[in-house]
Amino acid sequence: MAIRAVRQTSGRPMDAATVSRASKGGGKRIEQCVVQALNTLVRYAEVTALPNGTYAGWRVA
C-alpha cells in the first residue's frame, strides 16, 4: 500500500530507488524489498515494467 501511495502522488514512471527514497524510513535499507514488491505488482498487472528500469501504468482504485 505504501508503494502504491508513493506512485499515485508522483504521476510519472519511477524506479525502485526513487520509490524507496520517497517512503517514510526508506532509502537503500528497503530498496530490495521495494524491488520485490514492484515485481509482484507487475505479475498482478498493477504496474508495467519499462525497459529503462522504471515502473509505470499504475491503476488508480
Side-chain angles (χ1 to χ4, degrees), residues 3-4 36-48 58:
I3 292 173
R4 185 178 292 164
Q36 291 173 351
L38 287 169
N39 288 329
T40 299
L41 292 172
V42 168
R43 281 194 299 273
Y44 287 107
E46 292 279 331
V47 299
T48 301
W58 299 64

Side-chain angles (χ1 to χ4, degrees), residues 16-61:
T18 304
V19 174
S20 63
R21 283 192 310 267
S23 300
K24 183 177 180 178
K28 276 286 192 197
R29 184 176 61 81
I30 65 165
E31 190 172 334
Q32 189 56 42
C33 292
V34 170
V35 168
Q36 291 173 351
L38 287 169
N39 288 329
T40 299
L41 292 172
V42 168
R43 281 194 299 273
Y44 287 107
E46 292 279 331
V47 299
T48 301
L50 302 177
N52 63 356
T54 60
Y55 297 84
W58 299 64
R59 288 193 299 180
V60 178

